[in-house]
């Protein structure tokens, strides 16, 4: 592995491998990878920004970073699943859409479109590039102010979707190119409108005659907690919504569907 990360080797391999991608922290999600390994999955998680030789934040991240990891996992396993959360769900869905080796994608608090990242100088840029070219994205309105402290950014994304509606089509993630998709979202997500975006993904796939596993909980927030998984801590100061009980309830429902993909 030529990038910072971890790989958990299961005691009893099932022939399935997983690439696990965290969200806006860019961190290595070792806990979720280790959980999957306990269930027979060869599970890897990598840092995708903020590491050596990487951008400081989530802007213009090469999708080739994830595609290369999938190629490597495919050499060791019969089936590769990509799991991502939030910005990591964007990456997971894009990776699944552009890799012939991805059998399924599990997207937690997903987005149906590519969003803008913000460079240190405040200028916008696409979250992702492919072949050196930035992918089309939905910009963020620059005159939005949070109404709560700590801030809930859901309104920022809702306002941006409304103002830049014409960009939604060109920035749409081509989810119809993925064989199997599991979407997990909480209706009380205060980071961004993940349930609305999950439903948009499902509708796009349904229009192509493709089945989508959609797991929702009206009271859950941005962070789903799978059974046996520690609650994530830290990260940017913001409102994420949900409660420990509802986030775990969503995680239990998600796990029953995720198990079918693994």
């Amino acid at each position: 592995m030529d990038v910072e990360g971890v790989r958990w080797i299961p005691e009893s391999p099932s022939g399935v491998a997983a690439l696990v991608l965290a969200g806006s922290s860019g961190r290595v999600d070792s806990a979720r990878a280790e959980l999957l390994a306990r269930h027979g999955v060869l599970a890897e998680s990598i840092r995708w920004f903020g590491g050596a030789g990487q951008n400081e934040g989530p802007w213009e991240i090469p999708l080739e970073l994830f595609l290369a990891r999938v190629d490597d996992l495919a050499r060791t396993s019969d089936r590769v699943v990509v799991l991502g959360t939030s910005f990591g769900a964007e990456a997971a869905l894009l990776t699944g859409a552009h890799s012939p080796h991805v059998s399924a994608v599990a997207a937690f608090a997903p987005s149906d479109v590519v969003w803008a990242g913000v460079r240190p100088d405040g200028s916008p840029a696409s979250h992702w590039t492919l072949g050196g070219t930035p992918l089309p994205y939905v910009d963020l309105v620059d005159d939005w102010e949070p109404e709560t402290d700590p801030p809930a950014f859901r309104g920022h994304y809702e306002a941006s979707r409304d103002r830049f509606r014409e960009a939604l089509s060109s920035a749409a993630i081509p989810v119809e190119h993925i064989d199997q998709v599991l979407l997990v979202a909480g209706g009380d997500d205060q980071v961004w409108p993940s349930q609305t975006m999950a439903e948009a993904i499902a509708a796009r796939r349904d229009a192509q005659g493709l089945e989508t596993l959609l797991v929702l909980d009206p009271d859950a927030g941005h962070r789903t907690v799978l059974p046996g998984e520690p609650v994530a801590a830290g990260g940017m100061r913001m409102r994420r919504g949900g409660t420990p009980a509802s986030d775990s309830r969503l995680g239990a429902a998600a796990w029953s569907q995720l198990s079918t993909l693994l």
Side-chain angles (χ1 to χ4, degrees):
M1 187 187 304
D2 56 1
V3 64
E4 180 184 347
V6 297
R7 178 178 285 193
W8 289 89
I9 309 297
E11 292 184 3
S12 301
S14 64
V16 177
L19 177 63
V20 180
L21 303 174
S24 58
S25 67
R27 66 187 174 86
V28 177
D29 195 348
S30 182
R32 181 159 290 182
E34 190 272 335
L35 171 67
L36 298 180
R38 279 188 260 143
H39 293 270
V41 178
L42 189 158
E44 174 178 302
S45 183
I46 61 169
R47 176 175 292 283
W48 56 270
F49 73 84
Q54 297 178 331
N55 285 350
E56 297 174 12
W59 69 82
E60 296 188 346
I61 305 300
L63 286 181
E64 286 84 356
L65 171 66
F66 313 114
L67 295 171
R69 299 316 313 151
V70 166
D71 288 349
D72 190 65
L73 290 170
R75 285 191 283 268
T76 68
S77 304
D78 300 323
R79 179 177 169 85
V80 179
V81 180
V82 185
L83 291 81
T85 298
S86 194
F87 288 177
E90 257 186 76
L93 289 164
L94 286 163
T95 301
H98 290 283
S99 172
H101 300 305
V102 174
S103 299
V105 172
F108 295 79
S111 172
D112 61 320
V113 297
V114 172
W115 285 99
V118 182
R119 299 186 182 98
D121 64 4
S123 62
S126 179
H127 272 165
W128 321 104
T129 66
L130 183 62
T133 301
L135 297 186
Y137 63 91
V138 179
D139 204 352
L140 298 171
V141 297
D142 58 9
D143 57 356
W144 179 84
E145 294 291 338
E147 298 178 350
T148 61
D149 184 26
F153 290 102
R154 176 174 178 155
H156 196 187
Y157 287 95
E158 290 173 332
S160 299
R161 290 180 73 90
D162 186 59
R163 184 175 301 181
F164 302 116
R165 191 168 310 206
E166 72 285 351
L168 294 175
S169 178
S170 62
I173 298 171
V175 293
E176 64 274 16
H177 296 162
I178 308 170
D179 288 342
Q180 294 180 290
V181 174
L182 166 64
L183 307 170
V184 182
D188 190 44
D189 188 339
Q190 297 300 309
V191 176
W192 64 8
S194 60
Q195 179 169 322
T196 297
M197 296 191 290
E199 290 170 341
I201 293 170
R204 184 182 180 97
R205 287 175 56 82
D206 183 66
Q208 299 295 320
L210 301 170
E211 183 180 359
T212 305
L213 298 172
L214 185 61
V215 181
L216 308 173
D217 188 299
D219 301 317
H222 193 67
R223 285 177 167 171
T224 302
V225 181
L226 297 174
E229 183 177 53
V231 177
M236 183 177 174
R237 181 174 175 272
M238 68 174 81
R239 287 184 62 196
R240 292 179 170 82
T243 65
S246 62
D247 294 350
S248 294
R249 183 173 63 236
L250 178 58
W255 181 257
S256 68
Q257 298 298 330
L258 180 59
S259 298
T260 68
L261 299 184
L262 301 174

